Amino acid sequence: HRIPWGRGLGAEVASFVGGFLAGSVLCGEEVAALGRKEAAGGEASASGSLVAILSSGNLAADMAGPGAGQGGTKGSNVHTLMQLAISRGWTPGNVCPAISGALQIGVETPDGFRSHRVPTPNGLVAVIFVPTSQPEGAPFPKQAVGRKEAISNVGHMALLINCFCSGEWGMFAKAAEDTIGREHVASQFPYMPDVIQSALDAGATGAFPCGFGPSVMALITCRTGDVLAQSSSNELERAVAKAMLSKADEVGCDGRVLIAKPADIGAHVVAQKSELGIHEDSERIIYFQ
């Protein structure tokens, strides 16, 4: 993948999931034939090993099969991979989309976490400001939160999901506000509120931190055609990108902008990378597929 590392964009999870998928593609048949016994006759290593994950079948097939987007059935490779990734400390908010793509809701059940897909309308464009030198933000500390703040955050989450399901984006900017983590993130990255506001002023539907920072994502809705084939009159995303860069420069935070669209599938095998897209001379605004 080409996700920037250490910028709050889930690159670590994508690498972990992609590595296991690559292992399945490269040696799935051999591992399935060996089962849990190694070639020398000894037991395979701990349950988190590649042998244990793949011994019940082919991960690539499971990820593309009927269970994709639902977290896999209990005992499947996808289900096992999801539990393993989350047990290592990564959040379901990063793990589930890395495996199944699109927008996912991670739910904890007695049998482990499950993933459920949220409909992702066509025409969404993500404009992501990625600082050059800022470190990844520290997670929100585990602590009790006030009842009022908790209820507010749950309400915002329900409103956000409703925007995706209904295609009505009028309340998206409000839904994207995080009443619990906002001050924690802003205290680490003081430029963030200004960059978010600049994106909204330039016409973005909503803008918010990526994870705990340092990156900022602005969402643009109702675009037509492919992100790489927009006409000059249909390039709101570039105006938003330039506004975010300008504000970041003004407050002393150097960076670049990635322009992308939501991926409907998660980790998968591709024949080659694409370098399509218009590149500015400064190479600070990049179309990212």
Side-chain angles (χ1 to χ4, degrees):
H1 64 76
R2 298 169 58 201
I3 305 172
W5 193 269
R7 294 295 181 266
L9 300 172
E12 295 88 344
V13 176
S15 298
F16 183 83
V17 172
F20 273 90
L21 176 60
S24 174
V25 172
L26 292 173
C27 62
E29 293 183 1
E30 289 81 355
V31 172
L34 288 172
R36 292 184 179 272
K37 297 285 187 178
E38 304 233 14
E43 291 292 336
S45 56
S47 60
S49 68
L50 181 62
V51 171
I53 292 295
L54 299 179
S55 61
S56 61
N58 190 295
L59 178 60
D62 275 4
M63 293 178 77
Q70 298 299 321
T73 59
K74 182 181 178 182
S76 72
N77 290 328
V78 171
H79 180 82
T80 304
L81 173 57
M82 182 180 298
Q83 312 318 309
L84 179 61
I86 294 174
S87 71
R88 289 177 175 239
W90 293 310
T91 67
N94 285 335
V95 173
C96 299
I99 294 175
S100 301
L103 179 64
Q104 302 284 332
I105 300 176
V107 180
E108 187 172 11
T109 74
D111 294 325
F113 282 87
R114 297 295 301 274
S115 179
H116 298 270
R117 178 180 293 261
V118 175
T120 306
N122 294 325
L124 298 183
V125 176
V127 182
I128 310 167
F129 171 69
V130 184
T132 301
S133 57
Q134 294 288 340
E136 189 162 13
F140 190 77
K142 292 183 178 181
Q143 62 186 45
V145 299
R147 178 183 177 88
K148 181 179 179 180
E149 290 78 10
I151 292 175
S152 176
N153 248 32
V154 171
H156 285 193
M157 180 59 66
L159 185 59
L160 186 147
I161 298 302
N162 184 63
C163 290
F164 277 85
C165 292
S166 67
E168 299 292 333
W169 300 100
M171 292 297 293
F172 183 80
K174 183 66 175 178
E177 294 179 359
D178 181 353
T179 56
I180 294 178
R182 179 171 49 191
E183 292 184 2
H184 171 74
V185 175
S187 67
Q188 300 181 79
F189 308 106
Y191 62 84
M192 195 165 286
D194 290 333
V195 173
I196 288 176
Q197 189 59 50
S198 71
L200 298 175
D201 292 343
T205 303
F208 41 86
C210 296
F212 297 103
S215 301
V216 179
M217 178 184 292
L219 193 67
I220 297 172
T221 59
C222 303
R223 312 309 287 151
T224 58
D226 188 87
V227 67
L228 298 181
Q230 303 289 347
S231 66
S232 59
S233 62
N234 198 22
E235 291 187 342
L236 176 58
E237 63 271 11
R238 295 186 70 80
V240 171
K242 291 177 180 179
M244 296 172 79
L245 285 173
S246 177
K247 179 57 69 174
D249 288 342
E250 181 182 320
V251 297
C253 181
D254 184 53
R256 58 175 177 158
V257 167
L258 306 178
I259 299 177
K261 58 183 179 180
D264 194 52
I265 58 175
H268 61 285
V269 179
V270 294
Q272 60 184 6
K273 295 181 179 179
S274 173
E275 297 295 336
L276 295 177
I278 301 172
H279 291 261
E280 298 271 344
D281 291 340
S282 64
E283 294 188 351
R284 295 179 66 197
I285 300 177
I286 303 169
Y287 283 85
F288 187 77
Q289 294 288 81

